[in-house]
PDB file of all heavy atoms in Angstrom:
ATOM      1  N   TYR A  55      12.461  35.040 -24.624  1.00  0.00           N
ATOM      2  CA  TYR A  55      13.880  35.304 -24.429  1.00  0.00           C
ATOM      3  C   TYR A  55      14.389  36.114 -25.662  1.00  0.00           C
ATOM      4  O   TYR A  55      15.332  36.916 -25.349  1.00  0.00           O
ATOM      5  CB  TYR A  55      14.674  33.993 -24.205  1.00  0.00           C
ATOM      6  CG  TYR A  55      14.844  33.180 -25.391  1.00  0.00           C
ATOM      7  CD1 TYR A  55      15.911  33.313 -26.172  1.00  0.00           C
ATOM      8  CD2 TYR A  55      13.797  32.244 -25.802  1.00  0.00           C
ATOM      9  CE1 TYR A  55      16.099  32.459 -27.381  1.00  0.00           C
ATOM     10  CE2 TYR A  55      14.049  31.459 -26.964  1.00  0.00           C
ATOM     11  CZ  TYR A  55      15.155  31.558 -27.734  1.00  0.00           C
ATOM     12  OH  TYR A  55      15.270  30.837 -28.798  1.00  0.00           O
ATOM     13  N   TYR A  58      13.179  39.675 -25.008  1.00  0.00           N
ATOM     14  CA  TYR A  58      13.855  40.315 -23.863  1.00  0.00           C
ATOM     15  C   TYR A  58      15.367  40.394 -24.086  1.00  0.00           C
ATOM     16  O   TYR A  58      15.919  41.354 -23.438  1.00  0.00           O
ATOM     17  CB  TYR A  58      13.544  39.534 -22.591  1.00  0.00           C
ATOM     18  CG  TYR A  58      12.119  39.485 -22.142  1.00  0.00           C
ATOM     19  CD1 TYR A  58      11.395  38.406 -21.875  1.00  0.00           C
ATOM     20  CD2 TYR A  58      11.382  40.797 -22.224  1.00  0.00           C
ATOM     21  CE1 TYR A  58      10.016  38.495 -21.466  1.00  0.00           C
ATOM     22  CE2 TYR A  58      10.116  40.858 -21.872  1.00  0.00           C
ATOM     23  CZ  TYR A  58       9.429  39.766 -21.505  1.00  0.00           C
ATOM     24  OH  TYR A  58       8.092  39.819 -21.037  1.00  0.00           O
ATOM     25  N   THR A  59      15.976  39.586 -24.852  1.00  0.00           N
ATOM     26  CA  THR A  59      17.424  39.690 -25.057  1.00  0.00           C
ATOM     27  C   THR A  59      17.680  41.039 -25.844  1.00  0.00           C
ATOM     28  O   THR A  59      18.593  41.822 -25.504  1.00  0.00           O
ATOM     29  CB  THR A  59      17.986  38.562 -25.828  1.00  0.00           C
ATOM     30  OG1 THR A  59      17.759  37.377 -25.001  1.00  0.00           O
ATOM     31  CG2 THR A  59      19.468  38.682 -26.099  1.00  0.00           C
ATOM     32  N   MET A  62      17.132  43.912 -23.476  1.00  0.00           N
ATOM     33  CA  MET A  62      18.280  43.965 -22.505  1.00  0.00           C
ATOM     34  C   MET A  62      19.404  44.766 -23.076  1.00  0.00           C
ATOM     35  O   MET A  62      20.025  45.519 -22.475  1.00  0.00           O
ATOM     36  CB  MET A  62      18.622  42.558 -22.123  1.00  0.00           C
ATOM     37  CG  MET A  62      19.956  42.533 -21.141  1.00  0.00           C
ATOM     38  SD  MET A  62      20.281  40.783 -20.714  1.00  0.00           S
ATOM     39  CE  MET A  62      20.788  40.099 -22.344  1.00  0.00           C
ATOM     40  N   THR A  83      23.521  35.765 -20.047  1.00  0.00           N
ATOM     41  CA  THR A  83      23.001  34.448 -19.576  1.00  0.00           C
ATOM     42  C   THR A  83      21.512  34.462 -19.998  1.00  0.00           C
ATOM     43  O   THR A  83      20.860  35.416 -19.745  1.00  0.00           O
ATOM     44  CB  THR A  83      23.105  34.349 -18.078  1.00  0.00           C
ATOM     45  OG1 THR A  83      24.535  34.487 -17.717  1.00  0.00           O
ATOM     46  CG2 THR A  83      22.567  32.902 -17.586  1.00  0.00           C
ATOM     47  N   VAL A  84      21.090  33.346 -20.709  1.00  0.00           N
ATOM     48  CA  VAL A  84      19.736  33.217 -21.124  1.00  0.00           C
ATOM     49  C   VAL A  84      19.238  31.818 -20.637  1.00  0.00           C
ATOM     50  O   VAL A  84      19.886  30.796 -20.996  1.00  0.00           O
ATOM     51  CB  VAL A  84      19.617  33.279 -22.597  1.00  0.00           C
ATOM     52  CG1 VAL A  84      18.223  33.022 -22.992  1.00  0.00           C
ATOM     53  CG2 VAL A  84      20.048  34.679 -23.085  1.00  0.00           C
ATOM     54  N   ARG A  85      18.207  31.887 -19.895  1.00  0.00           N
ATOM     55  CA  ARG A  85      17.513  30.561 -19.628  1.00  0.00           C
ATOM     56  C   ARG A  85      16.096  30.683 -20.192  1.00  0.00           C
ATOM     57  O   ARG A  85      15.189  31.416 -19.650  1.00  0.00           O
ATOM     58  CB  ARG A  85      17.355  30.304 -18.034  1.00  0.00           C
ATOM     59  CG  ARG A  85      18.679  29.896 -17.540  1.00  0.00           C
ATOM     60  CD  ARG A  85      18.571  29.289 -16.057  1.00  0.00           C
ATOM     61  NE  ARG A  85      17.653  28.082 -16.167  1.00  0.00           N
ATOM     62  CZ  ARG A  85      16.961  27.759 -15.178  1.00  0.00           C
ATOM     63  NH1 ARG A  85      16.944  28.412 -13.950  1.00  0.00           N
ATOM     64  NH2 ARG A  85      16.139  26.685 -15.177  1.00  0.00           N
ATOM     65  N   LYS A  86      15.947  30.070 -21.346  1.00  0.00           N
ATOM     66  CA  LYS A  86      14.705  30.208 -22.081  1.00  0.00           C
ATOM     67  C   LYS A  86      13.511  29.993 -21.195  1.00  0.00           C
ATOM     68  O   LYS A  86      13.531  29.043 -20.368  1.00  0.00           O
ATOM     69  CB  LYS A  86      14.758  29.231 -23.264  1.00  0.00           C
ATOM     70  CG  LYS A  86      15.712  29.596 -24.303  1.00  0.00           C
ATOM     71  CD  LYS A  86      15.671  28.557 -25.439  1.00  0.00           C
ATOM     72  CE  LYS A  86      16.771  28.820 -26.445  1.00  0.00           C
ATOM     73  NZ  LYS A  86      16.757  27.908 -27.612  1.00  0.00           N
ATOM     74  N   ARG A  87      12.485  30.806 -21.359  1.00  0.00           N
ATOM     75  CA  ARG A  87      11.252  30.729 -20.558  1.00  0.00           C
ATOM     76  C   ARG A  87      11.317  31.042 -19.127  1.00  0.00           C
ATOM     77  O   ARG A  87      10.517  30.766 -18.364  1.00  0.00           O
ATOM     78  CB  ARG A  87      10.608  29.356 -20.726  1.00  0.00           C
ATOM     79  CG  ARG A  87      10.157  29.092 -22.178  1.00  0.00           C
ATOM     80  CD  ARG A  87       9.569  27.764 -22.417  1.00  0.00           C
ATOM     81  NE  ARG A  87      10.338  26.601 -22.155  1.00  0.00           N
ATOM     82  CZ  ARG A  87      11.198  26.210 -23.038  1.00  0.00           C
ATOM     83  NH1 ARG A  87      11.370  26.773 -24.198  1.00  0.00           N
ATOM     84  NH2 ARG A  87      11.994  25.083 -22.749  1.00  0.00           N
ATOM     85  N   HIS A  88      12.572  31.528 -18.607  1.00  0.00           N
ATOM     86  CA  HIS A  88      12.812  31.954 -17.321  1.00  0.00           C
ATOM     87  C   HIS A  88      13.342  33.328 -17.113  1.00  0.00           C
ATOM     88  O   HIS A  88      12.751  34.077 -16.447  1.00  0.00           O
ATOM     89  CB  HIS A  88      13.688  30.920 -16.610  1.00  0.00           C
ATOM     90  CG  HIS A  88      13.160  29.524 -16.504  1.00  0.00           C
ATOM     91  ND1 HIS A  88      12.125  29.239 -15.630  1.00  0.00           N
ATOM     92  CD2 HIS A  88      13.301  28.408 -17.238  1.00  0.00           C
ATOM     93  CE1 HIS A  88      11.728  28.006 -15.733  1.00  0.00           C
ATOM     94  NE2 HIS A  88      12.430  27.483 -16.806  1.00  0.00           N
ATOM     95  N   PHE A  89      14.534  33.523 -17.605  1.00  0.00           N
ATOM     96  CA  PHE A  89      15.169  34.894 -17.481  1.00  0.00           C
ATOM     97  C   PHE A  89      16.290  35.074 -18.429  1.00  0.00           C
ATOM     98  O   PHE A  89      16.825  34.181 -19.084  1.00  0.00           O
ATOM     99  CB  PHE A  89      15.632  35.084 -16.048  1.00  0.00           C
ATOM    100  CG  PHE A  89      17.019  34.381 -15.666  1.00  0.00           C
ATOM    101  CD1 PHE A  89      18.215  35.018 -15.903  1.00  0.00           C
ATOM    102  CD2 PHE A  89      16.995  33.020 -15.226  1.00  0.00           C
ATOM    103  CE1 PHE A  89      19.346  34.317 -15.660  1.00  0.00           C
ATOM    104  CE2 PHE A  89      18.152  32.418 -14.942  1.00  0.00           C
ATOM    105  CZ  PHE A  89      19.396  33.068 -15.181  1.00  0.00           C
ATOM    106  N   VAL A  90      16.579  36.493 -18.616  1.00  0.00           N
ATOM    107  CA  VAL A  90      17.772  36.832 -19.399  1.00  0.00           C
ATOM    108  C   VAL A  90      18.656  37.774 -18.406  1.00  0.00           C
ATOM    109  O   VAL A  90      17.965  38.535 -17.641  1.00  0.00           O
ATOM    110  CB  VAL A  90      17.445  37.512 -20.728  1.00  0.00           C
ATOM    111  CG1 VAL A  90      16.727  36.620 -21.640  1.00  0.00           C
ATOM    112  CG2 VAL A  90      16.582  38.722 -20.421  1.00  0.00           C
ATOM    113  N   SER A  91      19.840  37.735 -18.610  1.00  0.00           N
ATOM    114  CA  SER A  91      20.735  38.717 -17.855  1.00  0.00           C
ATOM    115  C   SER A  91      21.954  39.138 -18.566  1.00  0.00           C
ATOM    116  O   SER A  91      22.441  38.305 -19.488  1.00  0.00           O
ATOM    117  CB  SER A  91      21.067  38.157 -16.434  1.00  0.00           C
ATOM    118  OG  SER A  91      21.951  37.085 -16.584  1.00  0.00           O
ATOM    119  N   LEU A  92      22.596  40.210 -18.221  1.00  0.00           N
ATOM    120  CA  LEU A  92      23.726  40.701 -18.781  1.00  0.00           C
ATOM    121  C   LEU A  92      24.606  41.128 -17.608  1.00  0.00           C
ATOM    122  O   LEU A  92      24.184  42.003 -16.774  1.00  0.00           O
ATOM    123  CB  LEU A  92      23.627  41.786 -19.842  1.00  0.00           C
ATOM    124  CG  LEU A  92      24.872  42.253 -20.568  1.00  0.00           C
ATOM    125  CD1 LEU A  92      25.367  41.137 -21.492  1.00  0.00           C
ATOM    126  CD2 LEU A  92      24.471  43.383 -21.456  1.00  0.00           C
ATOM    127  N   TYR A 150      24.799  44.676 -13.345  1.00  0.00           N
ATOM    128  CA  TYR A 150      24.021  43.512 -13.720  1.00  0.00           C
ATOM    129  C   TYR A 150      22.682  43.881 -14.038  1.00  0.00           C
ATOM    130  O   TYR A 150      21.959  44.563 -13.335  1.00  0.00           O
ATOM    131  CB  TYR A 150      23.994  42.539 -12.468  1.00  0.00           C
ATOM    132  CG  TYR A 150      23.379  41.234 -12.713  1.00  0.00           C
ATOM    133  CD1 TYR A 150      23.952  40.237 -13.364  1.00  0.00           C
ATOM    134  CD2 TYR A 150      22.067  40.975 -12.174  1.00  0.00           C
ATOM    135  CE1 TYR A 150      23.309  38.926 -13.636  1.00  0.00           C
ATOM    136  CE2 TYR A 150      21.490  39.753 -12.267  1.00  0.00           C
ATOM    137  CZ  TYR A 150      22.049  38.773 -13.066  1.00  0.00           C
ATOM    138  OH  TYR A 150      21.414  37.616 -13.163  1.00  0.00           O
ATOM    139  N   ILE A 151      22.231  43.482 -15.323  1.00  0.00           N
ATOM    140  CA  ILE A 151      20.890  43.766 -15.910  1.00  0.00           C
ATOM    141  C   ILE A 151      20.169  42.404 -16.006  1.00  0.00           C
ATOM    142  O   ILE A 151      20.700  41.516 -16.550  1.00  0.00           O
ATOM    143  CB  ILE A 151      21.057  44.443 -17.299  1.00  0.00           C
ATOM    144  CG1 ILE A 151      21.862  45.715 -17.301  1.00  0.00           C
ATOM    145  CG2 ILE A 151      19.665  44.712 -17.868  1.00  0.00           C
ATOM    146  CD1 ILE A 151      22.346  46.159 -18.592  1.00  0.00           C
ATOM    147  N   CYS A 152      18.923  42.331 -15.478  1.00  0.00           N
ATOM    148  CA  CYS A 152      18.246  41.091 -15.610  1.00  0.00           C
ATOM    149  C   CYS A 152      16.684  41.321 -15.657  1.00  0.00           C
ATOM    150  O   CYS A 152      16.238  42.297 -15.190  1.00  0.00           O
ATOM    151  CB  CYS A 152      18.667  40.134 -14.494  1.00  0.00           C
ATOM    152  SG  CYS A 152      18.012  40.626 -12.806  1.00  0.00           S
ATOM    153  N   LYS A 153      16.053  40.278 -16.182  1.00  0.00           N
ATOM    154  CA  LYS A 153      14.642  40.226 -16.175  1.00  0.00           C
ATOM    155  C   LYS A 153      14.210  38.763 -16.028  1.00  0.00           C
ATOM    156  O   LYS A 153      14.639  37.941 -16.875  1.00  0.00           O
ATOM    157  CB  LYS A 153      13.925  40.834 -17.475  1.00  0.00           C
ATOM    158  CG  LYS A 153      12.452  40.712 -17.490  1.00  0.00           C
ATOM    159  CD  LYS A 153      11.855  41.544 -18.565  1.00  0.00           C
ATOM    160  CE  LYS A 153      10.404  41.555 -18.512  1.00  0.00           C
ATOM    161  NZ  LYS A 153       9.857  42.898 -18.235  1.00  0.00           N
ATOM    162  N   SER A 154      13.323  38.482 -15.031  1.00  0.00           N
ATOM    163  CA  SER A 154      12.823  37.196 -14.917  1.00  0.00           C
ATOM    164  C   SER A 154      11.368  37.225 -15.369  1.00  0.00           C
ATOM    165  O   SER A 154      10.588  38.080 -14.972  1.00  0.00           O
ATOM    166  CB  SER A 154      12.902  36.799 -13.394  1.00  0.00           C
ATOM    167  OG  SER A 154      12.244  35.544 -13.261  1.00  0.00           O
ATOM    168  N   TYR A 155      11.013  36.288 -16.196  1.00  0.00           N
ATOM    169  CA  TYR A 155       9.695  36.326 -16.792  1.00  0.00           C
ATOM    170  C   TYR A 155       8.935  35.060 -16.611  1.00  0.00           C
ATOM    171  O   TYR A 155       7.964  34.778 -17.211  1.00  0.00           O
ATOM    172  CB  TYR A 155       9.707  36.818 -18.255  1.00  0.00           C
ATOM    173  CG  TYR A 155      10.590  36.040 -19.167  1.00  0.00           C
ATOM    174  CD1 TYR A 155      10.288  34.922 -19.782  1.00  0.00           C
ATOM    175  CD2 TYR A 155      12.027  36.535 -19.312  1.00  0.00           C
ATOM    176  CE1 TYR A 155      11.157  34.264 -20.652  1.00  0.00           C
ATOM    177  CE2 TYR A 155      12.835  35.874 -20.105  1.00  0.00           C
ATOM    178  CZ  TYR A 155      12.367  34.803 -20.771  1.00  0.00           C
ATOM    179  OH  TYR A 155      13.345  34.099 -21.605  1.00  0.00           O
ATOM    180  N   ALA A 156       9.530  34.102 -15.857  1.00  0.00           N
ATOM    181  CA  ALA A 156       8.833  32.918 -15.491  1.00  0.00           C
ATOM    182  C   ALA A 156       7.687  33.214 -14.547  1.00  0.00           C
ATOM    183  O   ALA A 156       7.705  34.233 -13.765  1.00  0.00           O
ATOM    184  CB  ALA A 156       9.785  31.896 -14.786  1.00  0.00           C
TER     185      ALA A 156
END
Side-chain angles (χ1 to χ4, degrees):
Y55 72 94
Y58 291 136
T59 300
M62 177 179 65
T83 304
V84 175
R85 284 197 59 210
K86 296 178 182 180
R87 298 179 294 280
H88 294 284
F89 75 91
V90 295
S91 70
L92 188 63
Y150 183 72
I151 304 167
C152 69
K153 180 168 187 120
S154 176
Y155 48 92

